[in-house]
Amino acid sequence: MKAIGIDIGGTSIKGMIVNDRGDTMAQTKIATDAAQGKDHIVHHVRTVIANLLNLHQDVAGIGIGTAGRVDTLTGEVVFATDNLPGWMGTNLKRLFEEEFNRPVAVDNDANTALIGEAWLGAGRGCSDVTMLTLGTGVGGANMVRGELVRGALWNGGEWGHVVFVPRGLPCNCGQRGCIEQYLSGTAFVRYAREATQNFYASGVEVLADYQGGNKAIVQMVNQFMDDLVIAVYNIHLGINPQAIVIGGGLADSKDVWWELFVDKVRRLELGIEVRAAQLGNQAGSIGAAKMVLGGEPLD
């Protein structure tokens, strides 16, 4: 059995065909060009799906992970920020079932990333696991007793929009002080610029200076990791998962900072298990395909 898995991000739309053994049969990627609006994004998703179907017409269905809060029963995006302009209200399930005549499952992209990691990555063997994705923003997802906890209004696991600093920095969700404003990859780069008055284009550049011993950057990275430990501590107390998986773009550079972070977690002496995500930017597509293959129900 094969399924298509689609991961819709603000930068790119990734697609894969995965079989029920977890083998990747095909994959492709296209720029999202999100600034051009909903219709353009839908067109690019359609293109990715069509290209994959041309390679394997015998897929059982299509799974889609997207930014925003998703009603998984209807397939509608019930809330989205301006990262994907005009996205709120889009019903991806209805749209693509009608076009491609196959069942479609839709969920939040952090949820699909957790499904992927729980199936083939860092969450294997755990029935209770939480995921944090540190990228342009901060995503989150919770699995309890083997099932995703989406919540009554589909915002369960939105750790990026838990208030971290009361009356803090404004967030594009409309609140102030959200975790996303302090622990995202975007915040990481902003902190570095503020600490040095230097322009950093990416977290990779920041971490290069960290490895080079830049005192201001070393201090900044340590403070960032202290704050990340606080977030992990709060998750541990609130849900007490077997493991907390850290993914997203910042985790791609984990070889530089992971031991520092783990050491700080261990000092709490609470038995908190933190794991680095293993599937990289393929986790969302793999998890989306898994929804069709049996990881999550279609209805």
Side-chain angles (χ1 to χ4, degrees), residues 10-224:
T11 303
S12 66
I13 298 167
K14 295 173 282 291
M16 302 176 69
I17 295 178
V18 181
N19 66 19
D20 51 12
R21 296 185 301 275
D23 302 319
T24 299
M25 315 299 292
Q27 57 184 308
T28 187
K29 182 171 74 171
I30 191 172
T32 308
D33 292 334
Q36 298 192 44
K38 168 189 168 181
D39 291 343
H40 192 79
I41 299 169
V42 168
H43 172 70
H44 278 191
V45 175
R46 179 182 295 115
T47 298
V48 169
I49 294 172
N51 288 344
L52 291 170
L53 284 173
N54 283 338
L55 297 174
H56 293 265
Q57 297 183 5
D58 57 341
V59 299
I62 301 163
I64 300 174
T66 177
R69 297 171 193 164
V70 177
D71 181 335
T72 60
L73 300 179
T74 66
E76 179 182 345
V77 179
V78 296
F79 177 82
T81 68
D82 288 339
N83 290 340
L84 294 177
W87 204 233
M88 187 162 63
T90 304
N91 193 309
L92 295 167
K93 178 179 175 68
R94 182 172 64 238
L95 184 67
F96 292 121
E97 280 187 342
E98 291 175 355
E99 181 161 355
F100 294 107
N101 196 31
R102 287 172 172 81
V104 173
V106 188
D107 206 339
N108 169 267
D109 54 356
N111 286 342
T112 57
L114 176 53
I115 293 171
E117 289 288 345
W119 182 30
L120 300 177
R124 281 179 294 184
C126 294
S127 60
D128 293 72
V129 58
T130 290
M131 186 163 189
L132 280 181
T133 57
L134 312 179
T136 304
V138 174
N142 303 314
M143 184 175 286
V144 177
R145 296 175 184 170
E147 296 185 2
L148 286 174
V149 179
R150 299 181 176 91
L153 298 177
W154 311 105
N155 59 359
E158 286 277 10
W159 293 107
H161 297 290
V162 170
V163 174
F164 192 64
V165 178
R167 297 168 297 281
L169 296 171
C171 183
N172 63 4
C173 73
Q175 302 301 318
R176 300 184 70 92
C178 295
I179 282 178
E180 182 167 295
Q181 299 305 313
Y182 299 90
L183 293 176
S184 62
T186 304
F188 186 78
V189 173
R190 186 187 73 240
Y191 283 142
R193 293 172 180 172
E194 292 171 353
T196 63
Q197 301 305 308
N198 293 333
F199 179 81
Y200 291 96
S202 68
V204 173
E205 293 181 5
V206 176
L207 290 170
D209 275 1
Y210 171 75
Q211 288 181 295
N214 182 303
K215 290 183 179 180
I217 293 298
V218 169
Q219 182 178 359
M220 184 279 295
V221 171
N222 270 272
Q223 180 63 59
F224 186 92

